[in-house]
């Protein structure tokens, strides 16, 4: 084979800063690699190196891991401000070699970065997958986002209402990765998910311990521990009452088999709704962070499942009155209310409505996003 017949590799710049975004990217890259017309692709940017394991067509070395960007609250952002500026400059240098760039979520980092990339490399196509929540706050950003990015890959059907022509619905990534769903309301065990950040855990886990020790002492109690803690000292992270629980590193399997779940806010609440297990959202953040966020964001609810459920029922997402599940936030998140949430749950009603939410999201997104990337291959 002569050199002229060898097709150059596609250089794909990617950036996935959040653990959930990193998981979605991993499945996307695996799907992309499996397509019959996938070219040789070199990844650069921010991603977990493990997502390249076992792939045939895709290689690369990350500039940073998502773990390097782990922050919780405004104070953490201030502490890492210097690092974030440095990372942005390094990403701009990588863009010079790229044929295509893909950004996932994390708008405060990605929008300014993409703006600089577009200014320096106007011919580089920029794709945004898992869009900023303009429906929650700062809706004026939609116009700015549409100006900077070449294609907007929405994972929520109602997001299209905020953009003129560059956005299209690709499906929801959780419907790619969740393959088993509850078929009835039966379950064994109470699931506790106090979050993946130490700040979240330090605030919620003591409440969960009280529930486990005093209220659910005759039931199986499963603590879901994020995989990022798998090789760490769990007693140091969770404390001396860790022994009250069985430990699971497989959140979805635990949710599939469980009876009821207590879950910190985030993607896990939507996972639980899609799987079909009833739950309550429990969330406590620092007083300063809560004061700032409550002034900026005026939503009536914060749970993704509730927000999607409102859109499904033709209400303004995040501002409607309908709820799929209860949300207990800050002072409302106490032992009395947590117990009440468990005792008063309508299992059959929840199961039925959660099924409607799953149908609303329709299908996964990995295939559609992978095909979109291939449109821009060399």
């Amino acid at each position: 084979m002569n050199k002229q017949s060898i097709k150059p590799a596609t250089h794909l710049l990617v950036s996935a800063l959040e653990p959930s975004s990193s998981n979605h990217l991993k499945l996307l890259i695996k799907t992309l690699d499996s397509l019959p017309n996938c070219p040789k692709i070199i990844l650069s940017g921010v991603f977990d190196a493990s997502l390249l394991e076992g792939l045939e067509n895709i290689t690369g070395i990350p500039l940073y891991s998502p773990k390097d960007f782990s922050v919780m609250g405004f104070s953490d952002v201030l502490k890492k401000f210097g690092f974030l500026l440095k990372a942005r400059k390094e990403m701009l240098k990588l863009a010079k070699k790229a044929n295509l760039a893909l950004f996932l979520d994390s708008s405060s980092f990605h929008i300014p970065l993409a703006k600089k990339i577009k200014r320096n490399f106007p011919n580089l196509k920029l794709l945004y997958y898992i869009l900023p929540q303009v429906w929650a706050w700062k809706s004026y950003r939609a116009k700015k986002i549409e100006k900077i990015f070449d294609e907007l890959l929405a994972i929520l059907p109602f997001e299209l209402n905020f953009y003129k022509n560059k956005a299209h619905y690709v499906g929801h990534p959780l419907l790619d990765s969740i393959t088993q769903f509850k078929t009835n309301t039966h379950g064994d065990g109470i699931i506790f998910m106090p979050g993946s950040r130490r700040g979240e855990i330090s605030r919620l886990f003591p409440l969960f311990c009280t529930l486990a020790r005093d209220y659910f002492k005759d039931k199986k109690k499963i603590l879901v521990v994020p995989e990022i803690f798998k090789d760490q000292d769990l007693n140091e992270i969770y404390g001396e009452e860790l022994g009250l629980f069985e430990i699971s590193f497989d959140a979805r399997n635990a949710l599939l088999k469980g009876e009821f779940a207590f879950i910190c806010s985030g993607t896990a609440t939507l996972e639980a709704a899609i799987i079909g297990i009833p739950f309550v959202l429990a969330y406590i953040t620092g007083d300063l962070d809560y004061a700032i966020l409550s002034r900026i964001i005026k939503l009536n609810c914060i749970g993704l499942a509730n927000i999607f459920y409102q859109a499904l029922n033709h209400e303004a997402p995040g501002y409607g009155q309908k709820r799929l599940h209860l949300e207990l936030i800050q002072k409302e998140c106490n032992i009395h209310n947590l117990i009440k949430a468990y005792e008063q749950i309508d299992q059959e009603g929840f199961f039925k409505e959660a099924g409607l939410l799953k149908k609303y999201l329709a299908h996964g997104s990995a295939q559609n996003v992978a095909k979109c990337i291939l449109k821009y291959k060399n």
Side-chain angles (χ1 to χ4, degrees), residues 37-153:
N37 56 339
C38 181
K40 294 297 180 183
I41 294 176
I42 299 174
L43 283 193
S44 61
V46 182
F47 59 92
D48 190 329
S50 67
L51 65 79
L52 296 173
E53 294 173 1
L55 303 186
E56 294 183 9
N57 301 302
I58 305 176
T59 59
I61 300 174
L63 173 67
Y64 290 109
S65 161
K67 293 179 183 178
D68 297 318
F69 291 82
S70 178
V71 294
M72 181 65 185
F74 294 101
S75 57
D76 278 2
V77 172
L78 291 175
K79 291 176 185 176
K80 283 208 166 189
F81 189 69
F83 164 75
L84 294 173
L85 287 178
K86 177 176 178 253
R88 190 176 291 165
K89 289 180 180 178
E90 292 173 311
M91 289 288 283
L92 184 60
K93 289 181 181 178
L94 289 178
K96 185 176 181 179
K97 295 182 179 179
N99 304 111
L100 181 67
L102 177 72
F103 303 92
L104 293 84
D105 206 357
S106 305
S107 60
S108 60
F109 183 82
H110 287 147
I111 292 177
L113 172 61
K115 187 176 181 180
K116 287 191 175 183
I117 290 175
K118 203 65 176 176
R119 185 185 304 128
N120 285 272
F121 312 106
N123 294 325
L124 180 62
K125 298 296 183 182
L126 308 182
L127 309 184
Y128 210 153
Y129 175 42
I130 308 176
L131 304 179
Q133 296 175 343
V134 296
W135 43 268
W137 66 304
K138 293 185 179 181
S139 59
Y140 60 83
R141 290 180 299 166
K143 186 176 181 180
K144 181 179 181 181
I145 291 165
E146 202 157 23
K147 183 177 180 180
I148 297 170
F149 295 90
D150 297 283
E151 198 158 351
L152 306 175
L153 311 176

Side-chain angles (χ1 to χ4, degrees), residues 214-225:
D214 299 338
Y215 188 78
F216 293 113
K217 55 186 176 182
D218 296 325
K219 285 184 175 285
K220 182 190 293 186
K221 299 165 285 290
I222 298 95
L223 174 67
V224 173
V225 175

Side-chain angles (χ1 to χ4, degrees), residues 160-171:
L160 305 186
N161 298 330
F162 293 86
Y163 300 96
K164 290 184 178 179
N165 52 38
K166 289 186 178 180
H168 56 100
Y169 181 60
V170 293

Side-chain angles (χ1 to χ4, degrees), residues 72 192-211 223 238 245 262-265 280-285 328-330 332-335 338:
M72 181 65 185
F192 295 89
M193 300 180 69
S196 59
R197 296 181 175 92
R198 294 193 179 216
E200 295 172 333
I201 293 168
S202 67
R203 296 182 184 101
L204 275 181
F205 191 60
L207 288 174
F208 289 175
C209 287
T210 300
L211 288 175
L223 174 67
Y238 291 92
F245 306 87
F262 295 91
I263 307 178
C264 180
S265 68
V280 59
L281 181 157
Y283 188 69
I284 304 174
T285 189
L328 298 175
I329 302 169
Q330 294 302 97
E332 290 185 354
C333 186
N334 55 55
I335 294 298
L338 290 169

Side-chain angles (χ1 to χ4, degrees), residues 299-316:
L299 297 178
N300 291 340
C301 58
I302 64 171
L304 290 176
N306 276 338
I307 290 167
F308 297 0
Y309 186 66
Q310 290 173 353
L312 167 65
N313 285 280
H314 310 292
E315 292 186 336

